[in-house]
Amino acid sequence: KLAGHTTKDDSTPIKDAQLLRLLEGIPDARWKLAIELMACFGLRPVELKYIRPTEKGEKLHCSYCKRTAKGSTKPRDIVGIDPAGRPGMCTQLLAMLNAIGKIPGTVDLPPLGHVDRATSSAIDTYLRRRATWASLKSEATALGENLTVYSFRHGYALRCHEAGLMPRATAALMGHSLQTHSLY
């Protein structure tokens, strides 16, 4: 459901122009990297702890397995979708990830908490301290929308749809069933 959207925490997809505005307002390269990865690869916040570029460096591999009452997701390779106005962003992010720990001075991810459930909270806390995020949230609220840390994931789903990816393919990239994806 892209129009009239209700999903996790009633989150609205972040639009590409909003994302680019937000990224301009993030002074810390580590947090900027985290937000870019979530937006370009549709990651759940916790998945930032479980990613690496694939062997050929063309995709992002996520080893996180989300467990639910219905079972668990499988590790997956994710195709990045560049936001409008930032061609090549996904390729650049994969190269940055590949360089972590190998090239001195490479930007690493920010501290995301010691336990998985702390990751989303750490990202939310960082964003709430950014004036640009507060401005974007106010603008969204005025339109009856709600930006959350999951808005980056939902923005990815929207870009996949706009790029013509079939819902089943998008669901697989995002690590959930077609039924769950249809709720987005």
Side-chain angles (χ1 to χ4, degrees):
K1 295 179 187 177
L2 296 174
H5 186 83
T6 56
T7 62
K8 182 157 185 146
D9 298 329
D10 202 24
S11 180
T12 303
I14 192 165
K15 313 301 183 296
D16 290 350
Q18 293 171 311
L19 173 64
L20 297 181
R21 232 175 93 199
L22 175 63
L23 293 174
E24 288 175 17
I26 297 178
D28 187 320
R30 300 168 309 156
W31 286 102
K32 189 173 190 176
L33 175 61
I35 300 301
E36 288 172 331
L37 286 165
M38 288 192 309
C40 288
F41 293 93
L43 300 174
R44 296 173 180 96
V46 68
E47 291 174 338
L48 287 168
K49 294 180 167 188
Y50 297 88
I51 56 172
R52 63 172 171 74
T54 57
E55 209 168 295
K56 292 184 181 181
E58 298 169 343
K59 297 178 184 176
L60 188 68
H61 180 76
C62 180
S63 60
Y64 180 74
C65 296
K66 181 179 178 182
R67 288 168 182 69
T68 68
K70 296 179 183 179
S72 64
T73 61
K74 296 178 182 167
R76 67 195 191 280
D77 290 343
I78 309 165
V79 175
I81 306 287
D82 294 326
R86 289 290 302 273
M89 185 175 185
C90 297
T91 302
Q92 178 185 7
L93 291 170
L94 290 169
M96 289 172 69
L97 274 182
N98 201 34
I100 293 173
K102 298 175 187 170
I103 300 173
T106 303
V107 172
D108 200 348
L109 287 168
L112 297 170
H114 296 293
V115 294
D116 286 351
R117 67 180 175 269
T119 307
S120 185
S121 180
I123 294 165
D124 182 60
T125 298
Y126 180 81
L127 287 172
R128 280 188 286 113
R129 294 175 178 164
R130 307 274 60 86
T132 307
W133 181 248
S135 176
L136 289 169
K137 281 186 69 79
S138 293
E139 292 166 18
T141 300
L143 296 171
E145 300 174 343
N146 184 31
L147 292 179
T148 72
V149 294
Y150 268 78
S151 292
F152 305 110
R153 184 165 166 79
H154 301 317
Y156 173 82
L158 180 62
R159 277 197 307 286
C160 286
H161 172 73
E162 291 171 347
L165 268 70
M166 298 302 293
R168 186 173 306 280
T170 301
L173 290 172
M174 295 182 74
H176 48 62
S177 68
L178 180 59
Q179 181 182 7
T180 299
H181 180 71
S182 297
L183 298 174
Y184 285 96

